[in-house]
Amino acid sequence: MHPIVENIQAIEKQLVGTNVKLIAVSKKKPASDLLLAYEAGFKRFGENYVQELVDKQAILPQDIEWHFIGHLQSNKVKYIAPFVSFIHSVDSFKLLQEINKQAAKYQRIIPCLLQVHIAQEDTKTGLSEEELFAICQGDELAQLAHVSVRGLMGMSTFTEDETIIREEFRRLKSLFDTASTFSLPANCVMQEISMGMSGDWPIAVNEGSTFIRVGSAIFGERI
Ligand SMILES: *Cc1c(COP(=O)(O)O)cnc(C)c1O
């Protein structure tokens, strides 16, 4: 068996009995690597770059579930709106409005996650707690009929210190729990938490993740 398939199966085995879904993060990896996983029955992939995602989507099987997880510029939403299954990285209300506008053109409703800034590094994007709560509790979200907010996404600090990582994941879960108590509009449900990558996904699962985004532990190091 190919190592890529072995790696996916080993992670999925550890997820049996949980409701955590694995996303294989294939950025910077050739389409042939994705096809290997696909032919072994795996269909959920995560990509970070719009052009790369569009190119891969065009040549790979049409029943792949594509998750966009990278920073998304408003002017590029139109390229992925026809087919993307999930956008994890919504970091402004303006972006949500643009996703709504583009999804409407294809009569689609695009599931989205609100990305929250939980790490210590400023380089990582995401909403502050105040911004998150303002979007969830504002009147404007209800008017976006072509987006379905399904929960939150976060990235922990890049550190070896497990205590810091665990605290950050707990904070995201706690924001999720708080947002769940709000009277949310019909197009917003707190259902999914996207947290955990190659180095920290077991901690994330422990702290309540429902989507883990694993790249290098499946496909090998990126260059
Ligand atoms: C690259 C990336 C991942 C996967 O990272 P690995 O450490 O290779 O598992 C997950 N989430 C996001 C947002 C990424 O950019």
Side-chain angles (χ1 to χ4, degrees):
M1 202 186 292
H2 194 282
I4 290 174
V5 178
E6 275 178 7
N7 293 337
I8 288 177
Q9 290 184 355
I11 298 170
E12 289 216 304
K13 203 170 155 191
Q14 294 182 71
L15 299 179
V16 171
T18 71
N19 67 344
V20 183
K21 299 162 287 291
L22 172 64
I23 298 169
V25 176
S26 45
K27 62 174 177 233
K28 298 186 179 169
K29 296 292 171 181
S32 55
D33 279 7
L34 286 78
L35 202 53
L36 274 166
Y38 178 86
E39 281 166 356
F42 189 82
K43 299 185 180 178
R44 194 182 301 112
F45 296 94
E47 289 284 341
N48 283 59
Y49 309 103
V50 168
Q51 189 58 53
E52 185 179 343
L53 170 54
V54 168
D55 291 347
K56 284 175 175 165
Q57 194 271 340
I59 59 170
L60 283 163
Q62 295 302 297
D63 62 339
I64 285 179
E65 187 181 315
W66 294 106
H67 290 247
F68 192 83
I69 63 170
H71 180 64
L72 183 57
Q73 289 170 273
S74 291
N75 61 353
K76 294 195 176 165
V77 173
K78 57 177 176 282
Y79 302 115
I80 63 170
F83 65 84
V84 72
S85 289
F86 237 105
I87 299 175
H88 288 234
S89 40
V90 175
D91 58 2
S92 70
F93 187 72
K94 184 179 144 259
L95 180 58
L96 213 48
Q97 285 175 307
E98 180 62 18
I99 296 168
N100 183 66
K101 183 177 151 192
Q102 298 301 331
K105 289 188 185 164
Y106 301 96
Q107 287 129 28
R108 300 190 64 211
I109 296 174
I110 300 182
C112 295
L113 300 176
L114 300 173
Q115 182 173 357
V116 185
H117 186 266
I118 54 170
Q120 290 168 353
E121 301 117 314
D122 300 335
T123 48
K124 290 187 177 138
T125 54
L127 301 160
S128 67
E129 175 174 334
E130 293 72 26
E131 291 167 330
L132 168 69
F133 291 168
I135 291 175
C136 294
Q137 294 182 297
D139 311 323
E140 290 171 299
L141 178 58
Q143 282 142 40
L144 307 184
H146 294 273
V147 298
S148 167
V149 174
R150 301 283 176 84
L152 307 182
M153 183 271 222
M155 280 174 94
S156 66
T157 302
F158 185 73
T159 171
E160 297 282 291
D161 189 342
E162 286 200 6
T163 317
I164 293 177
I165 296 172
R166 194 176 290 279
E167 273 170 13
E168 291 172 352
F169 287 157
R170 279 195 185 156
R171 169 132 188 279
L172 189 63
K173 175 64 162 63
S174 140
L175 293 170
F176 174 93
D177 290 338
T178 303
S180 305
T181 67
F182 298 163
S183 68
L184 298 165
N187 62 342
C188 181
V189 286
M190 287 295 139
Q191 192 170 293
E192 309 287 355
I193 307 183
S194 172
M195 59 184 187
M197 320 201 323
S198 291
D200 57 20
W201 71 261
I203 305 174
V205 167
N206 223 253
E207 299 302 333
S209 176
T210 69
F211 275 126
I212 55 171
R213 311 177 309 269
V214 181
S216 46
I218 292 174
F219 296 104
E221 291 303 322
R222 287 176 297 272
I223 28 152

